[in-house]
Amino acid sequence: MESAEDPAGRALHLARATIAAIATPPGRGGIGVVRISGGLVADVARAVLGALPVPRRATHAEFRDAHAQVIDRGIALYFPAPHSYTGEDVLELQGHGGPAVLQLLLAACLDAGARLAEPGEFTRRAFLEGKLDLAQAEAVADLINAASREAARSAMRSLSGEFSGAIGTLVEELTELRALIEAMLDFPDEEVDHTHREDAAGRLDRVRASLETVMVRSRQGSLLRTGIHVVLAGRPNVGKSSLLNRLAGEERAIVTAVPGTTRDALRETILVEGVPIVIVDTAGLRESGDEVERLGIERSWTEMARADVVLMVLEAPLGMNEEDRALLARLPEQGTRLFVYNKVDLAPAERAGRRGDGRQEVWVSAKSGAGIDALRGALLEAAGWTGTGESVFLARERHLRALAQARDHLQAAGAQIGQWEFFAEELRLAQGALGEITGEVSADDLLGEIFARFCIGK
Ligand SMILES: Nc1nc2c(ncn2[C@@H]2O[C@H](COP(=O)(O)OP(=O)(O)OP(=O)(O)O)[C@@H](O)[C@H]2O)c(=O)[nH]1
Ligand SMILES: [Mg+2]
């Protein structure tokens, strides 16, 4: 990794262009910020502000364009390298948050020698300068994009290094184990004694257990990002659309007493404990002579085939009848099923009191709202959310894949006890997979892909 002390790194650092961008979102606001980073920051400051501000002190200044015309008046902040977000010299100009004035200010910075930043380029430089590791850099984007408080907290934990720390601990344990094995390999003639062998096996088990814990926390956290896909299915008129409306908290779908009301699949995303749950309302399933309804029913089956969870909606007053049973037999095999007995408000008392076990069946009334909390809980459970709350990692697909690879290599190592060269090689591969998460080993195209998804100015 480059650093200011390393001459080669320093040269690279200077060779990099100075970049500028509007860092606040487009539109009008009380303030708007233009951020500049790179070797020419001092020149830009002198051109736009007339002087280089005192480091890290809020300086009131006039912002001028190339013709010395005043564009705006605001606050300038100068962060000399390496104590800045990017690790380079950084200047932040806080002006009034209007699109025209910010464009003028940005143009003044470009005239003074900066070029327009690409998406994610500030954070990319922070990574290259060793200010953040890759998982932390990704957490910056995740924090900005977080759709719920839980996701934001989890992203912040990754940003402050908790996720990278957990990965680092695994890597350390692996390094120690590799050192032990190398020591054994260095004395091939001596019979590797029993205790060493036991020690290696025991350590491997411990690393595997720690990895498993990190995976559980990561899989949990990834639910906060990806959520699950739930489809409401059942006969016409059982109350699927009414349930969607109840869960969404607003009248999204048309509800009538006429069977066959819903035609197009309609989707709504709700957040339950921060987990995004996409709920799809579909056309009631029956044999229909109506062309439009038939097409709608085809869509229902397509939706069910790709659902994580199918909510089979039934009517509590009737229980499961022949028609329901016939539908049930046709439901796709994969995915979780949950039986929702709706309209408990109409059911005779002994049925209305039924609770279901929450795992398989829930008794609800879309009309009165009874049982809806239990339904939400059952959805979370079906999603695999265990509510570990604070300690989950907002992992990305890329992280989950790397963790799974590491796990596979450790498993392979377990099968090579005694074959120490092979054992050591699997450990090395596992360590490599973990290194991809924090970016210790990373290909250029991976970096390109990750940072391109940022917005400009980040
Ligand atoms: N009493 C009572 N009526 C309900 C309840 N849920 C829905 N209904 C009524 O049942 C009828 C059908 O409701 P919908 O939500 O349109 O049913 P659906 O399953 O979407 O029907 P299709 O779109 O035709 O497949 C409407 O008259 C609703 O008011 C409930 O919990 N209790
Ligand atoms: Mg409907």
Side-chain angles (χ1 to χ4, degrees):
M1 196 139 297
E2 308 152 28
S3 76
E5 285 79 52
D6 154 27
R10 184 77 200 159
L12 232 171
H13 174 125
L14 289 175
R16 268 191 226 133
T18 295
I19 52 172
I22 300 172
T24 38
R28 286 162 233 275
I31 56 169
V33 176
V34 170
R35 178 152 68 170
I36 308 110
S37 175
L40 296 181
V41 154
D43 296 344
V44 174
R46 277 187 281 268
V48 177
L49 306 169
L52 192 59
V54 178
R56 289 177 296 281
R57 186 169 308 163
T59 306
H60 189 242
E62 283 181 339
F63 306 154
R64 292 174 188 270
D65 66 14
H67 309 290
Q69 284 230 307
V70 178
I71 303 165
D72 195 1
R73 204 174 277 141
I75 300 294
L77 286 166
Y78 171 50
F79 303 96
H83 303 294
S84 69
Y85 180 68
T86 57
E88 304 174 328
D89 284 350
V90 168
L91 182 67
E92 269 186 32
L93 302 175
Q94 308 184 351
H96 293 96
V101 68
L102 285 173
Q103 283 300 341
L104 283 173
L105 185 54
L106 177 62
C109 297
L110 301 182
D111 285 342
R115 75 152 163 79
L116 198 59
E118 287 164 18
E121 203 171 3
F122 289 94
T123 308
R124 185 179 185 138
R125 288 185 177 194
F127 167 69
L128 292 174
E129 289 292 316
K131 288 275 163 182
L132 300 167
D133 66 32
L134 198 50
Q136 287 175 309
E138 288 169 317
V140 171
D142 290 344
L143 184 59
I144 292 167
N145 294 327
S148 67
R149 280 179 307 194
E150 288 80 0
R153 284 207 202 96
S154 179
M156 190 53 221
R157 271 199 300 281
S158 293
L159 182 53
S160 51
E162 219 179 288
F163 182 47
S164 306
I167 301 296
T169 306
L170 287 172
V171 169
E172 258 168 50
E173 289 176 35
L174 278 177
T175 311
E176 281 173 25
L177 182 50
R178 285 179 66 191
L180 178 79
I181 303 303
E182 299 299 333
M184 283 161 61
L185 287 173
D186 282 346
F187 304 99
D189 296 336
E190 288 171 38
E191 196 178 313
V192 173
D193 72 81
H194 190 66
T195 50
H196 269 116
R197 196 187 171 92
E198 292 280 280
D199 194 15
R203 277 171 189 250
L204 178 66
D205 284 346
R206 282 197 293 281
V207 186
R208 287 176 72 179
S210 321
L211 176 63
E212 205 48 53
T213 314
V214 174
M215 284 188 83
V216 168
R217 293 172 73 183
S218 304
R219 267 195 237 109
Q220 285 285 301
S222 76
L223 279 176
L224 290 174
R225 164 198 302 291
T226 55
I228 53 162
H229 203 91
V230 174
V231 172
L232 290 160
R235 287 183 286 111
N237 238 20
V238 291
K240 298 178 295 299
S241 302
S242 308
L243 277 170
L244 177 84
N245 291 343
R246 173 60 78 173
L247 287 166
E250 53 183 313
E251 300 301 308
R252 294 306 315 267
I254 297 173
V255 168
T256 73
V258 185
T261 301
T262 303
R263 302 296 174 85
D264 266 342
L266 183 74
R267 61 196 69 227
E268 266 298 300
T269 302
I270 62 167
L271 286 174
V272 186
E273 288 184 25
V275 179
I277 300 182
V278 181
I279 302 186
V280 187
D281 177 29
T282 63
L285 304 166
R286 64 170 172 185
E287 293 304 322
S288 170
D290 179 293
E291 161 107 38
V292 181
E293 189 179 358
R294 260 209 329 271
L295 289 172
I297 292 170
E298 259 174 50
R299 289 189 178 194
S300 305
W301 287 109
T302 316
E303 289 293 343
M304 276 183 267
R306 54 177 188 225
D308 298 312
V309 181
V310 173
L311 287 191
M312 167 106 190
V313 186
L314 309 111
E315 283 175 294
L318 299 176
M320 191 179 291
N321 67 16
E322 275 315 307
E323 244 181 290
D324 295 322
R325 259 185 267 279
L327 284 180
L328 184 56
R330 291 182 57 197
L331 283 190
E333 292 279 318
Q334 87 287 3
T336 309
R337 283 176 204 173
L338 199 61
F339 297 95
V340 182
Y341 289 87
N342 186 31
K343 309 194 185 180
V344 279
D345 55 294
L346 296 180
E350 75 275 11
R351 284 205 168 160
R354 277 190 69 167
R355 283 286 171 88
D357 59 9
R359 223 180 298 276
Q360 286 275 339
E361 48 176 62
V362 201
W363 293 64
V364 304
S365 168
K367 190 171 179 186
S368 74
I372 296 296
D373 279 339
L375 175 57
R376 288 198 189 94
L379 283 174
L380 279 183
E381 191 171 333
W385 182 253
T386 51
T388 33
E390 285 303 289
S391 57
V392 304
F393 299 132
L394 196 66
R396 297 180 167 210
E397 197 48 45
R398 180 181 89 75
H399 304 150
L400 295 179
R401 267 203 314 273
L403 289 170
Q405 270 172 13
R407 185 195 52 200
D408 291 349
H409 287 302
L410 293 187
Q411 192 181 346
Q416 303 283 6
I417 301 244
Q419 309 267 73
W420 300 113
E421 278 93 352
F422 294 116
F423 184 87
E425 176 60 9
E426 294 295 348
L427 295 186
R428 193 183 65 77
L429 292 170
Q431 198 172 335
L434 293 176
E436 280 175 25
I437 295 178
T438 46
E440 270 153 54
V441 249
S442 51
D444 244 10
D445 49 351
L446 171 70
L447 296 185
E449 190 195 317
I450 288 171
F451 289 107
R453 294 211 200 117
F454 277 65
C455 25
I456 290 177
K458 299 295 161 338

